[in-house]
Amino acid sequence: GRFKALTKMSSASRILVTGGQGFVGRALVPKLQQAWPLAEIMITSRSRSSKQAQGAVRVATLDIRDTQATKLLVQRYQPEMVVHLAAQANVGLSFQQPELTWQTNLHGSLNLFAALEQHTPQATLLVISSSDIYGASFASQQALDENALLQPQNPYAASKAAMDLAAGALARTSQLKVLRARAFNHTGPGQDEGYVLPAFAAQIARIEAQQEDILKVGNLDAERDFLHVDDVAEAYVQLLMHAQHLNSGEIFNICSGQAHSVQSLLDQLLSLATQKIQPAADPARMRPSDLHRVQGCATKLKEATGWHPSKSISQTLEDLLNYWRQH
Ligand code: A2R
């Protein structure tokens, strides 16, 4: 049972997290430290400016588009486990800068894969892919599992799909243990206001502090499958812990299994506010949303690792609002 699984868990003394200073990275690193207290952790960032209390964590300056620098880092550090988070993760920006998006998400990833294959062929690699790669498959309005067709609808999604497929091929052609996580929507403290839930929470907090008058909202019809970023990070840790028992190339959806309308999430946030707030439709935020419902099935992840989300959507929204009240 559980004990047997624990004794067989993967060990590691050097863990590398690309993009470790990003939103997910900042939630993940403390969990990695907890799970592997004896391991050394290195994160990469293009800049040295630090959003993170670095503690025992080393920060390497790296642009993954740089083939040589990526090789050198892997060769010198010799990671046993790698979480590949680094990406141009902004969908909007991917329309304006498709070239940057492809260079980072596909070619940068290929640089990392080649470096690992050459210098640390026994390593475990967890690549972070995205539910966006299913794209038009969500038109079915069903909770999608890992077998859904990849039908990306924007440059970001297409570049992540290509990365995901390249990682699948890598699993077949190398000895690396490759795991693919397809993350659905996630949110939490520290997420950029460009995302819908932080945008609501930040405005509510500013209205409570009398710094603003109106809450501007966009399209509220869309339904999305949200997890707290801590539960996403926990899923990544669990996958790494169980890596020895998982097949290389295996795919896991990271999601709650439930879809909530943006309207209902806004309503919940408004009910947490200390005053009555009337939202106002803002034409500038009315981006047409191509997908009505995005919902995933997390059964495979749950069965493989025992993972279960620990934060409900209402706790997640509370966390978010409290974060913005303090910022
Ligand atoms: O270099 P930094 O510290 O600005 O880190 C960004 C990093 N990044 C890169 N790293 C190396 N070379 C590049 N050319 C490059 N471009 C970007 O990726 C950034 O902090 C990190 C991604 O973090 P966020 O933008 O905060 O995304 P988030 O929400 O943490 O997403 C993590 C992963 C991504 O692969 C998404 O595509 C996926 O989850 O949904």
Side-chain angles (χ1 to χ4, degrees):
R2 192 98 194 118
F3 180 71
K4 200 167 156 208
L6 283 169
T7 58
K8 281 198 197 155
M9 270 175 189
S10 315
S11 66
S13 50
R14 281 177 309 280
I15 305 174
L16 177 67
V17 182
T18 69
Q21 286 192 345
F23 170 59
V24 175
R26 297 194 301 274
L28 177 63
V29 167
K31 286 184 180 285
L32 291 172
Q33 288 174 310
Q34 240 177 10
W36 289 278
L38 302 177
E40 194 178 286
I41 298 177
M42 181 181 275
I43 67 176
T44 74
S45 173
R46 285 164 303 172
S47 64
R48 283 213 151 254
S49 79
S50 173
K51 291 181 191 164
Q52 178 164 26
Q54 281 162 27
V57 177
R58 292 166 66 184
V59 184
T61 308
L62 177 72
D63 188 321
I64 55 167
R65 292 172 297 173
D66 183 334
T67 309
Q68 282 314 314
T70 305
K71 252 190 198 165
L72 208 59
L73 180 80
V74 169
Q75 185 177 13
R76 288 196 178 146
Y77 187 57
Q78 294 283 312
E80 289 153 350
M81 268 185 200
V82 180
V83 185
H84 179 37
L85 291 168
Q88 193 305 89
N90 185 322
V91 176
L93 187 64
S94 80
F95 287 99
Q96 289 145 27
Q97 298 202 42
E99 185 67 26
L100 169 75
T101 304
W102 282 99
Q103 284 299 334
T104 306
N105 297 356
L106 178 59
H107 297 286
S109 298
L110 293 175
N111 284 338
L112 177 68
F113 297 171
L116 295 171
E117 203 176 355
Q118 184 177 355
H119 296 295
T120 59
Q122 310 290 331
T124 296
L125 167 64
L126 175 64
V127 300
I128 309 308
S129 180
S130 167
S131 61
D132 272 24
I133 71 178
Y134 297 129
S137 291
F138 286 113
S140 73
Q141 312 257 358
Q142 303 294 307
L144 298 185
D145 68 16
E146 292 79 0
N147 298 312
L149 272 188
L150 305 189
Q151 303 190 72
Q153 300 293 295
N154 59 62
Y156 166 74
S159 70
K160 292 296 270 193
M163 188 274 309
D164 187 301
L165 295 176
L170 181 71
R172 293 198 162 268
T173 58
S174 76
Q175 292 178 63
L176 293 161
K177 174 66 68 83
V178 182
L179 301 175
R180 294 182 277 176
R182 293 179 179 163
F184 284 59
N185 291 74
H186 37 284
T187 193
Q191 192 179 32
D192 196 272
E193 256 190 87
Y195 292 86
V196 62
L197 297 179
F200 293 163
Q203 291 183 85
I204 291 172
R206 286 195 294 263
I207 291 170
E208 287 178 345
Q210 295 177 346
Q211 295 161 349
E212 268 176 27
D213 300 324
I214 39 171
L215 174 62
K216 294 179 181 171
V217 300
N219 188 351
L220 303 174
D221 297 338
E223 295 177 22
R224 295 291 180 265
D225 183 335
F226 278 100
L227 282 174
H228 193 289
V229 67
D230 289 344
D231 282 325
V232 173
E234 184 60 31
Y236 298 164
V237 169
Q238 291 295 325
L239 283 172
L240 289 171
M241 281 189 161
H242 292 83
Q244 283 171 333
H245 310 288
L246 302 172
N247 293 323
S248 191
E250 210 72 71
I251 300 165
F252 297 91
N253 283 348
I254 314 292
C255 55
S256 75
Q258 245 108 53
H260 298 271
S261 72
V262 174
Q263 175 77 63
S264 76
L265 299 171
L266 172 63
D267 290 344
Q268 284 192 60
L269 276 169
L270 287 173
S271 74
L272 295 169
T274 56
Q275 66 192 74
K276 195 163 168 46
I277 299 171
Q278 192 76 282
D282 175 10
R285 292 173 197 241
M286 282 293 172
R287 276 162 295 198
S289 135
D290 38 350
L291 303 169
H292 176 62
R293 181 185 296 147
V294 169
Q295 185 178 9
C297 168
T299 304
K300 187 174 173 191
L301 171 69
K302 288 177 176 171
E303 285 178 356
T305 68
W307 172 88
H308 222 273
S310 67
K311 292 207 169 154
S312 65
I313 190 72
S314 51
Q315 281 173 299
T316 303
L317 295 172
E318 234 180 283
D319 261 26
L320 202 56
L321 187 53
N322 285 331
Y323 169 84
W324 283 103
R325 282 170 173 154
Q326 287 151 26
H327 286 78

